[in-house]
Amino acid sequence: MFELPQAHTIIEPFKIKVVEPIPMPTLKERRHALAAAHYNLFNLHSSVVTFDLLTDSGTAAMSAEQWAAVMRGDESYAGSRSYERFEAAVQDVTGLPFVIPTHQGRSAEFLLMRAMLRPGQLVLGNTHFDTTRANVEGAGAVAVDLPSPATKDTAALHPFKGDIDLEALERTLTKEKGKVALVILTVTNNSVGGQPASLANARAASESCRRHGVPFFLDCARFAENCWFIKQREAGQRERPVALIARDLFQVADGALMSMKKDAFGNIGGFLALRNRGLAEAVRSLMVVTEGFPTYGGLAGRDLDALAVGLKEVLDEHYLAYRVRSVEYFGQGLEQAGLPTVKPWGGHAVYVDAARALPHVKPLQYPGQSLAVALYEHIGIRGVEVGSVMLGTRNPKTGEESPAPGELVRLAMPRRVYTQSHVDCMVELAGHLVPHLPELKGYEITWQPDVLRHFTCRFKPL
Ligand SMILES: *Cc1c(COP(=O)(O)O)cnc(C)c1O
């Protein structure tokens, strides 16, 4: 009798039951599509995109169990069995008693901010996601980011770059006594590259909040990826099931909001879960106007059922090992091919550093856009620029622009969608692109709207 060593290769822990062909446009077709899209990748039709890495939101492959749950959906207007199953799944994973479904994450944000905030108040967080910030501001309050000081160095291999800065939190809670309405810890911290926050950080932040009488919330769109990082990286967590780590995380929160288009494998959906009955009642009376009756919250019964299954499935540790490893594998591959990336790699995306890849393109000639266009033109990858196009600032009077702090291209990985050979192919072609990087030209914006220009603006190659 003998036993083989454990395999180093981490496999996709599923087999494929349904397939969808991916488009294979030629170079000529891609160039034509780019020109027709005015070099803005948001304008491309998905029918000309081979590897769609625009986002990990709502793009997951549902499992056989989720599709079976779709068939069990109970479409009763009120009190459906689908809601009961949804409520039980959220309660089981989070331990939070009051569960409110919403049609996606931002509607949970909208409801929470309208119910909790008064004009002039402050909301503190590790880094507010852009829709969270917009909903805080929409309620007349101010969103203040207190990210970990470790985020300043994009190459530093800090294990918990998603932490909130505890000193700054305590300082702000003391200085702004009475003004802070809410603290939100986003796990993982999307805006700093899907970096995790530690359990110790969440506990300490919650403790600070409790001392100051301020509610502590989680924006838990990627809670399972975050808890997997805690298991791998935090002292004393290695032997503990991720589901228990997640319960510990939610235990210190007064509530949580989630975009279930991320770690619940949903194509649509979200929730707001609360400990406080009075707040839950306030939200339920508000939501009828925008989301509908409190037991369906803008979703069909079949969605609620698929999400209830997905929320439990994501805690499967074979899945999480594969998920985080496959993002890391992609990051390593791109580095070896010669593309500089932001490290450590996060839970849901690899960020390529276009400022380092294209040092000859000036920030206001948009190196991130140039690289994103080249990745599509030559490899068929659709990523998204996260640099001066998206985050640069413009003086509304003079039109003068200031560049963003970084010039990145985000390549987000949809969940359970692409396989290792897809990644191998992208990496192989990236290796062929790298020697040509010095030939890439910058871009000029020929038309732009007043706000959120990256979605619709038009470019011209220089
Ligand atoms: C996606 C996301 C949201 C918004 O959720 P939607 O479902 O897109 O409305 C909020 N917070 C974080 C951290 C997210 O990643």
mmCIF file of all heavy atoms in Angstrom, residues 5 33 48-51 68 102 123 132 135 174 217 239 252 265 302 325 331-332 428 435 457:
data_model
loop_
_atom_site.group_PDB
_atom_site.id
_atom_site.type_symbol
_atom_site.label_atom_id
_atom_site.label_comp_id
_atom_site.label_asym_id
_atom_site.label_seq_id
_atom_site.Cartn_x
_atom_site.Cartn_y
_atom_site.Cartn_z
ATOM 1 N N PRO A 5 1.826 11.741 -3.053
ATOM 2 C CA PRO A 5 1.778 13.076 -2.425
ATOM 3 C C PRO A 5 0.590 13.865 -2.966
ATOM 4 O O PRO A 5 0.037 13.533 -4.010
ATOM 5 C CB PRO A 5 3.112 13.712 -2.840
ATOM 6 C CG PRO A 5 3.558 12.957 -4.041
ATOM 7 C CD PRO A 5 2.994 11.567 -3.931
ATOM 8 N N ALA A 33 -13.914 46.765 -34.789
ATOM 9 C CA ALA A 33 -14.812 46.968 -33.635
ATOM 10 C C ALA A 33 -14.294 48.101 -32.747
ATOM 11 O O ALA A 33 -15.078 48.909 -32.233
ATOM 12 C CB ALA A 33 -14.927 45.668 -32.824
ATOM 13 N N VAL A 48 -17.912 40.444 -29.814
ATOM 14 C CA VAL A 48 -16.559 40.535 -30.376
ATOM 15 C C VAL A 48 -15.487 40.419 -29.290
ATOM 16 O O VAL A 48 -14.331 40.743 -29.519
ATOM 17 C CB VAL A 48 -16.338 41.835 -31.199
ATOM 18 C CG1 VAL A 48 -17.151 41.805 -32.481
ATOM 19 C CG2 VAL A 48 -16.647 43.078 -30.377
ATOM 20 N N VAL A 49 -15.881 39.958 -28.092
ATOM 21 C CA VAL A 49 -14.924 39.858 -26.990
ATOM 22 C C VAL A 49 -14.642 38.389 -26.686
ATOM 23 O O VAL A 49 -15.566 37.626 -26.408
ATOM 24 C CB VAL A 49 -15.474 40.564 -25.729
ATOM 25 C CG1 VAL A 49 -14.484 40.431 -24.572
ATOM 26 C CG2 VAL A 49 -15.750 42.031 -26.020
ATOM 27 N N THR A 50 -13.366 37.999 -26.752
ATOM 28 C CA THR A 50 -13.012 36.601 -26.474
ATOM 29 C C THR A 50 -12.926 36.350 -24.969
ATOM 30 O O THR A 50 -13.514 35.395 -24.459
ATOM 31 C CB THR A 50 -11.678 36.247 -27.158
ATOM 32 O OG1 THR A 50 -11.806 36.548 -28.546
ATOM 33 C CG2 THR A 50 -11.355 34.768 -26.994
ATOM 34 N N PHE A 51 -12.184 37.206 -24.260
ATOM 35 C CA PHE A 51 -12.022 37.044 -22.806
ATOM 36 C C PHE A 51 -12.616 38.276 -22.140
ATOM 37 O O PHE A 51 -12.001 39.346 -22.154
ATOM 38 C CB PHE A 51 -10.541 36.930 -22.438
ATOM 39 C CG PHE A 51 -9.824 35.828 -23.175
ATOM 40 C CD1 PHE A 51 -8.903 36.124 -24.177
ATOM 41 C CD2 PHE A 51 -10.059 34.494 -22.864
ATOM 42 C CE1 PHE A 51 -8.232 35.115 -24.843
ATOM 43 C CE2 PHE A 51 -9.394 33.478 -23.534
ATOM 44 C CZ PHE A 51 -8.485 33.785 -24.535
ATOM 45 N N ALA A 68 -31.364 24.321 -10.429
ATOM 46 C CA ALA A 68 -32.482 23.527 -9.892
ATOM 47 C C ALA A 68 -33.333 24.402 -8.977
ATOM 48 O O ALA A 68 -34.570 24.341 -8.998
ATOM 49 C CB ALA A 68 -31.929 22.311 -9.130
ATOM 50 N N THR A 102 -32.700 42.860 -1.779
ATOM 51 C CA THR A 102 -32.714 44.047 -2.643
ATOM 52 C C THR A 102 -32.268 43.618 -4.028
ATOM 53 O O THR A 102 -31.621 42.582 -4.168
ATOM 54 C CB THR A 102 -31.761 45.152 -2.131
ATOM 55 O OG1 THR A 102 -30.423 44.647 -2.133
ATOM 56 C CG2 THR A 102 -32.123 45.619 -0.747
ATOM 57 N N VAL A 123 -19.684 59.337 7.200
ATOM 58 C CA VAL A 123 -19.584 57.876 7.172
ATOM 59 C C VAL A 123 -18.107 57.563 6.951
ATOM 60 O O VAL A 123 -17.476 58.094 6.037
ATOM 61 C CB VAL A 123 -20.437 57.274 6.038
ATOM 62 C CG1 VAL A 123 -20.272 55.758 5.989
ATOM 63 C CG2 VAL A 123 -21.910 57.635 6.221
ATOM 64 N N THR A 132 -21.311 53.183 -3.078
ATOM 65 C CA THR A 132 -21.549 53.450 -1.653
ATOM 66 C C THR A 132 -21.350 54.933 -1.386
ATOM 67 O O THR A 132 -22.172 55.600 -0.752
ATOM 68 C CB THR A 132 -20.579 52.625 -0.779
ATOM 69 O OG1 THR A 132 -20.413 51.340 -1.331
ATOM 70 C CG2 THR A 132 -21.084 52.513 0.638
ATOM 71 N N ASN A 135 -24.196 56.954 -2.711
ATOM 72 C CA ASN A 135 -25.403 56.885 -1.882
ATOM 73 C C ASN A 135 -25.249 57.645 -0.571
ATOM 74 O O ASN A 135 -26.219 58.192 -0.049
ATOM 75 C CB ASN A 135 -25.791 55.425 -1.638
ATOM 76 C CG ASN A 135 -26.600 54.877 -2.802
ATOM 77 O OD1 ASN A 135 -27.629 55.441 -3.163
ATOM 78 N ND2 ASN A 135 -26.117 53.810 -3.413
ATOM 79 N N THR A 174 -13.127 60.339 17.701
ATOM 80 C CA THR A 174 -12.973 61.226 18.856
ATOM 81 C C THR A 174 -13.178 62.679 18.435
ATOM 82 O O THR A 174 -13.941 63.423 19.050
ATOM 83 C CB THR A 174 -11.566 61.054 19.474
ATOM 84 O OG1 THR A 174 -11.377 59.665 19.749
ATOM 85 C CG2 THR A 174 -11.412 61.850 20.747
ATOM 86 N N PHE A 217 -20.805 48.497 10.245
ATOM 87 C CA PHE A 217 -21.397 47.667 9.188
ATOM 88 C C PHE A 217 -20.322 47.053 8.319
ATOM 89 O O PHE A 217 -19.207 47.560 8.219
ATOM 90 C CB PHE A 217 -22.317 48.526 8.299
ATOM 91 C CG PHE A 217 -23.727 48.611 8.810
ATOM 92 C CD1 PHE A 217 -24.012 49.270 9.998
ATOM 93 C CD2 PHE A 217 -24.777 48.017 8.105
ATOM 94 C CE1 PHE A 217 -25.307 49.337 10.477
ATOM 95 C CE2 PHE A 217 -26.080 48.075 8.576
ATOM 96 C CZ PHE A 217 -26.348 48.745 9.760
ATOM 97 N N GLU A 239 -6.716 26.383 10.747
ATOM 98 C CA GLU A 239 -7.458 25.118 10.896
ATOM 99 C C GLU A 239 -8.972 25.338 10.971
ATOM 100 O O GLU A 239 -9.725 24.394 11.149
ATOM 101 C CB GLU A 239 -6.987 24.378 12.157
ATOM 102 C CG GLU A 239 -5.483 24.081 12.210
ATOM 103 C CD GLU A 239 -4.989 23.307 10.987
ATOM 104 O OE1 GLU A 239 -5.741 22.437 10.487
ATOM 105 O OE2 GLU A 239 -3.857 23.594 10.520
ATOM 106 N N VAL A 252 -19.294 40.748 14.808
ATOM 107 C CA VAL A 252 -18.922 42.053 15.369
ATOM 108 C C VAL A 252 -19.618 43.203 14.632
ATOM 109 O O VAL A 252 -19.327 44.361 14.891
ATOM 110 C CB VAL A 252 -17.386 42.273 15.376
ATOM 111 C CG1 VAL A 252 -16.700 41.210 16.229
ATOM 112 C CG2 VAL A 252 -16.808 42.290 13.963
ATOM 113 N N PHE A 265 -22.651 34.190 -6.368
ATOM 114 C CA PHE A 265 -22.825 33.644 -7.719
ATOM 115 C C PHE A 265 -24.150 34.065 -8.342
ATOM 116 O O PHE A 265 -24.771 33.296 -9.077
ATOM 117 C CB PHE A 265 -22.767 32.109 -7.709
ATOM 118 C CG PHE A 265 -21.514 31.525 -7.129
ATOM 119 C CD1 PHE A 265 -21.552 30.772 -5.963
ATOM 120 C CD2 PHE A 265 -20.298 31.702 -7.759
ATOM 121 C CE1 PHE A 265 -20.397 30.212 -5.434
ATOM 122 C CE2 PHE A 265 -19.127 31.160 -7.233
ATOM 123 C CZ PHE A 265 -19.191 30.411 -6.065
ATOM 124 N N ARG A 302 -37.505 33.088 -8.102
ATOM 125 C CA ARG A 302 -36.458 32.185 -8.598
ATOM 126 C C ARG A 302 -35.057 32.756 -8.354
ATOM 127 O O ARG A 302 -34.119 32.020 -8.106
ATOM 128 C CB ARG A 302 -36.680 31.885 -10.084
ATOM 129 C CG ARG A 302 -36.588 33.065 -11.008
ATOM 130 C CD ARG A 302 -36.843 32.655 -12.458
ATOM 131 N NE ARG A 302 -38.277 32.482 -12.697
ATOM 132 C CZ ARG A 302 -39.065 33.406 -13.274
ATOM 133 N NH1 ARG A 302 -38.552 34.527 -13.733
ATOM 134 N NH2 ARG A 302 -40.347 33.185 -13.434
ATOM 135 N N ARG A 325 -6.385 30.904 -6.022
ATOM 136 C CA ARG A 325 -5.218 30.414 -6.745
ATOM 137 C C ARG A 325 -5.281 30.811 -8.222
ATOM 138 O O ARG A 325 -4.276 31.132 -8.840
ATOM 139 C CB ARG A 325 -5.114 28.891 -6.599
ATOM 140 C CG ARG A 325 -4.049 28.237 -7.457
ATOM 141 C CD ARG A 325 -2.629 28.635 -7.056
ATOM 142 N NE ARG A 325 -1.651 28.135 -8.019
ATOM 143 C CZ ARG A 325 -0.653 28.853 -8.525
ATOM 144 N NH1 ARG A 325 -0.465 30.099 -8.145
ATOM 145 N NH2 ARG A 325 0.165 28.327 -9.394
ATOM 146 N N GLY A 331 -1.948 36.355 -12.276
ATOM 147 C CA GLY A 331 -1.013 37.424 -11.916
ATOM 148 C C GLY A 331 0.431 36.996 -12.140
ATOM 149 O O GLY A 331 1.227 37.734 -12.749
ATOM 150 N N GLN A 332 0.769 35.802 -11.675
ATOM 151 C CA GLN A 332 2.136 35.285 -11.871
ATOM 152 C C GLN A 332 2.465 35.189 -13.350
ATOM 153 O O GLN A 332 3.551 35.547 -13.794
ATOM 154 C CB GLN A 332 2.265 33.881 -11.259
ATOM 155 C CG GLN A 332 2.505 33.900 -9.773
ATOM 156 C CD GLN A 332 2.285 32.519 -9.133
ATOM 157 O OE1 GLN A 332 1.715 31.615 -9.755
ATOM 158 N NE2 GLN A 332 2.728 32.382 -7.897
ATOM 159 N N GLU A 428 0.201 33.641 -22.716
ATOM 160 C CA GLU A 428 1.094 33.393 -23.858
ATOM 161 C C GLU A 428 1.101 34.611 -24.794
ATOM 162 O O GLU A 428 2.153 35.109 -25.202
ATOM 163 C CB GLU A 428 0.629 32.145 -24.619
ATOM 164 C CG GLU A 428 1.493 31.822 -25.829
ATOM 165 C CD GLU A 428 0.871 30.743 -26.727
ATOM 166 O OE1 GLU A 428 -0.007 29.987 -26.259
ATOM 167 O OE2 GLU A 428 1.277 30.682 -27.900
ATOM 168 N N PRO A 435 7.170 42.829 -26.039
ATOM 169 C CA PRO A 435 8.226 43.523 -26.797
ATOM 170 C C PRO A 435 7.710 44.718 -27.597
ATOM 171 O O PRO A 435 8.494 45.590 -27.982
ATOM 172 C CB PRO A 435 8.760 42.438 -27.746
ATOM 173 C CG PRO A 435 8.280 41.146 -27.195
ATOM 174 C CD PRO A 435 7.046 41.423 -26.414
ATOM 175 N N CYS A 457 -17.129 58.077 -22.846
ATOM 176 C CA CYS A 457 -16.317 59.031 -23.613
ATOM 177 C C CYS A 457 -15.721 58.367 -24.854
ATOM 178 O O CYS A 457 -15.690 57.147 -24.974
ATOM 179 C CB CYS A 457 -15.227 59.647 -22.738
ATOM 180 S SG CYS A 457 -13.958 58.502 -22.237
#
